[in-house]
Amino acid sequence: MAYVITQRCCNDASCVTECPVDCIRPRPEDPEFATAEMLHIDPDTCIDCGACVEACPVGAIHADEELPDVLSRYAEINAAWFAHHPLDSGIAPVDMPRRLSRDSDTLRVAIVGTGPAACYAAENLVGRGNVEVEMFDRLPAPWGLARYGVAPDHAETRGVTDMFASAFKRDTVRFHLNVEVGRDISHAELLTHCHAVIYAVGASADRRLEVPGEDLPGCWSATEFVAWYNGHPDFADHSFDFSGERAVIVGNGNVALDVARVLTADPDRLTATDIAGHAIEALRHSTIREVVLLGRRPLANASFSGPEFLALGHLPDTDIVIDPADIDDEVRAALDDPGTDPALLLKLRLATEYAHRDTGDRKRIVFRFLTSPTAVSGTERVTGIDCVRNEMVPGPGGLVPTPATDAETVDTALVLRAIGYRGKAVPDLPFDEARGVIPHEHGRVVDATGTPAPGAYVSGWIKRGPRGVIGSNRRDAEETVTALVDDFTTGRLGAPSQDREALAALLARRCPDRVDRDGWTAIDAAEKANGAGAGRPREKFTRVADLVAAARG
């Protein structure tokens, strides 16, 4: 028997250090880690100890003999990775994080954001020794995209928040929820009370199509749709037109796949998740039968991950439709090439299987590759989307998609763009408008001349751009915290003139509806209790006032 890593892998890499025979790859220090879709266990080296199972925060690891049918293919996926990347001998040395000396002053750090990037930074800081952390979020509930961005049918992925909640039980980490930095308290004021501020605010905006008609009613960003069905207070009043038989998603990354699954799911199945109640009610009246995903590049360049693509094939009432013409000579050559990367090979094999499956009178998720939108059509609202078929031609940096045919119109009343998130500028900090990130060097915020901004740091998507999964933030946070601790121990950080109790008093005066950790605990318990009454894991509060009231209750 051996253990197998499966679809829900978050790349947190907690399992790597727990493995006594070092058979989990890629490791954070390996070059493949930055682009890996998941981690893998070498079946020939695994000694069946189960240490990785206990370490996994999202329940992604199973014994190969106990894999359910929908995950059975992962034994092959894990083994295939090591056939392509043979396990090296010996255990590579791991650099231990630099700890503060016992006689050093207390390091106080404010972290703006409470999503995974912020939480990994706080966890790393707490592990350095004599540190106090103040965590801020403009919403009354923490966890960022782990709460408001993960698909509701991926409940295991949200399990990472349980790990964070357990790590932050002590008063070393304080929550200041329903407090907006830049409005309720300034960056300069934070530095009056803390040695440093880490901004882990994510990427809450989205990229635009930049085509005519994009602002017509009925054309939305996937960012808005995902936040709506996950109960984000900023989007609770949105409404989407599900009256047609077709929806079109521009993009074919994992977010696009999440949205397609929600649009085609049986609402009765969604009631077993923590999807917002208003979303279930709206989807019960949906007449959408087909969701079309448009990707401007060919199949081999699709952005979705192999595990998410594989999971589509197990949807109970939905056909996955791929044109057999997309399985072209290039795809067939890659399938026959023993040097093809295992992650790409999995996607190509799955696409080939889907292209030759029989379809019936069921809902459909249709993939259209090499297709770009040229306009969103309609007068008062969306009635369709105009698109062209592309071909790949030589261009700057390699082959680029170029329109090759006349436009066609795909009829639809709902267009969702899922072409990437984008960071937003933060008050009092420099911002790279072109990339949508805060410029930095190893996590230290820098201005246009490369000069560090004293006491300012970044982590997560606002630092590196919107790429990677939840666990990718762990290594990212370690780099930032290491830079911060080095600056503290070498005297490059100014000492705050006020302590954390003065900060708490200031916030109490300015933000009477501030929610602390006890308040969040009350919200969490109330949501779970409300959900239990309806046979659901939780029923989220979708209004700020209701969240605050639950915190006071």
Side-chain angles (χ1 to χ4, degrees):
M1 186 180 79
Y3 283 92
V4 177
I5 298 178
T6 65
Q7 179 189 352
R8 298 296 181 234
C9 178
C10 69
N11 285 32
D12 169 276
S14 295
C15 55
V16 172
T17 55
E18 297 301 314
C19 178
V21 292
D22 191 38
C23 71
I24 302 177
R25 294 291 189 278
R27 301 164 298 186
E29 61 269 24
D30 294 333
E32 300 88 359
F33 184 81
T35 57
E37 295 179 349
M38 58 178 286
L39 306 186
H40 311 80
I41 295 174
D42 180 16
D44 294 331
T45 308
C46 176
I47 59 173
D48 313 332
C49 69
C52 56
V53 178
E54 297 299 321
C56 180
V58 295
I61 305 178
H62 303 262
D64 58 2
E65 295 178 351
E66 299 172 359
L67 286 170
D69 288 343
V70 296
L71 299 178
S72 60
R73 200 160 183 165
Y74 281 94
E76 170 193 338
I77 292 169
N78 278 241
W81 197 90
F82 288 95
H84 194 78
H85 304 277
L87 190 67
D88 55 341
S89 59
I91 299 177
V94 177
D95 294 332
M96 297 301 293
R98 180 176 183 178
R99 288 182 58 86
L100 299 172
S101 64
R102 292 183 178 181
D103 56 354
S104 72
D105 293 336
T106 299
L107 169 61
R108 291 206 300 276
V109 179
I111 300 179
V112 184
T114 59
C119 290
Y120 279 120
E123 182 186 52
N124 195 293
L125 278 164
V126 170
R128 303 288 182 133
N130 191 16
V131 180
E132 294 173 345
V133 178
E134 315 289 337
M135 299 190 74
F136 292 82
D137 200 300
R138 70 179 185 84
L139 294 176
W143 314 138
L145 279 184
R147 176 177 168 92
Y148 293 119
V150 173
D153 58 350
H154 284 8
E156 298 92 339
T157 304
R158 297 185 195 274
V160 72
T161 62
D162 295 333
M163 177 183 70
F164 296 140
S166 177
F168 301 158
K169 285 182 177 178
R170 293 179 298 156
D171 199 41
T172 301
V173 178
R174 288 185 177 178
F175 279 180
H176 306 287
L177 310 177
N178 206 29
V179 177
E180 185 171 348
V181 174
R183 182 194 65 187
D184 300 318
I185 188 169
S186 68
H187 174 71
E189 287 175 316
L190 287 177
L191 287 178
T192 300
H193 298 84
C194 300
H195 292 89
V197 184
I198 297 176
Y199 288 87
V201 294
S204 57
D206 60 274
R207 295 176 58 194
R208 292 176 58 82
L209 299 174
E210 305 296 347
V211 300
E214 184 174 8
D215 294 318
L216 280 170
C219 182
W220 302 88
S221 72
T223 306
E224 294 168 298
F225 186 65
V226 169
W228 171 78
Y229 67 58
N230 274 320
H232 192 298
D234 290 352
F235 302 92
D237 291 326
H238 279 39
S239 62
F240 299 86
D241 187 352
F242 303 135
S243 63
E245 291 195 356
R246 178 186 294 122
V248 173
I249 302 171
V250 182
N252 56 21
N254 285 347
V255 172
L257 268 58
D258 288 346
V259 171
R261 288 198 318 276
V262 169
L263 285 171
T264 55
D266 181 345
D268 287 338
R269 285 198 301 113
L270 291 176
T271 58
T273 74
D274 66 355
I275 191 172
H278 59 244
I280 291 178
E281 184 60 26
L283 290 167
R284 286 194 187 282
H285 298 90
S286 171
T287 57
I288 291 173
R289 300 279 302 167
E290 178 178 276
V291 178
V292 178
L293 282 75
L294 306 180
R296 67 191 187 100
R297 293 183 176 273
L299 165 62
N301 298 114
S303 299
F304 50 72
S305 69
E308 292 300 320
F309 197 39
L310 172 58
L312 289 184
H314 295 285
L315 295 177
D317 303 309
T318 305
D319 288 322
I320 309 304
V321 180
I322 291 178
D323 188 340
D326 286 318
I327 313 302
D328 55 19
D329 290 342
E330 184 178 349
V331 170
R332 284 188 283 271
L335 288 169
D336 293 336
D337 184 355
T340 301
D341 180 80
L344 174 59
L345 189 62
L346 172 64
K347 291 195 282 189
L348 298 182
R349 283 176 175 168
L350 289 170
T352 303
E353 293 171 14
Y354 295 153
H356 294 96
R357 277 188 182 181
D358 293 332
T359 57
D361 185 23
R362 306 197 302 172
K363 292 182 179 180
R364 297 153 53 96
I365 297 176
V366 180
F367 287 85
R368 294 187 58 177
F369 302 101
L370 282 170
T371 305
S372 292
T374 57
V376 178
S377 55
T379 51
E380 296 182 356
R381 62 175 303 103
V382 172
T383 59
I385 184 166
D386 300 337
C387 24
V388 293
R389 180 77 176 176
N390 297 325
E391 63 179 3
M392 301 298 288
V393 301
L399 297 177
V400 295
T402 303
T405 63
D406 294 333
E408 63 168 310
T409 299
V410 179
D411 294 335
T412 182
L414 178 62
V415 173
L416 298 168
R417 59 182 184 272
I419 54 175
Y421 292 94
R422 176 180 168 81
K424 299 167 81 171
V426 172
D428 304 320
L429 292 184
F431 189 69
D432 184 336
E433 193 66 43
R435 297 178 56 220
V437 298
I438 295 175
H440 73 95
E441 289 183 3
H442 304 294
R444 297 180 181 92
V445 175
V446 297
D447 63 18
T449 68
T451 303
Y457 300 82
V458 284
S459 186
W461 280 2
I462 196 63
K463 170 186 175 184
R464 69 182 187 274
R467 59 183 184 274
V469 293
I470 285 178
S472 307
N473 293 294
R474 189 175 195 178
R475 187 74 167 178
D476 185 286
E478 182 178 350
E479 178 189 54
T480 295
V481 171
T482 296
L484 189 159
V485 170
D486 285 346
D487 291 346
F488 175 69
T489 56
T490 55
R492 291 196 289 267
L493 296 181
S497 59
Q498 302 289 321
D499 61 16
R500 72 185 326 202
E501 300 311 322
L503 174 63
L506 172 66
L507 294 173
R509 293 194 303 272
R510 290 188 184 173
C511 307
D513 288 334
R514 179 179 68 94
V515 174
D516 59 13
R517 184 172 51 225
D518 289 341
W520 161 243
T521 300
I523 293 171
D524 187 42
E527 288 185 340
K528 289 177 178 177
N530 292 342
R536 307 184 60 202
R538 77 168 61 232
E539 183 74 45
K540 290 178 183 172
F541 296 108
T542 61
R543 310 283 179 183
V544 168
D546 293 338
L547 285 160
V548 171
R552 299 291 176 263

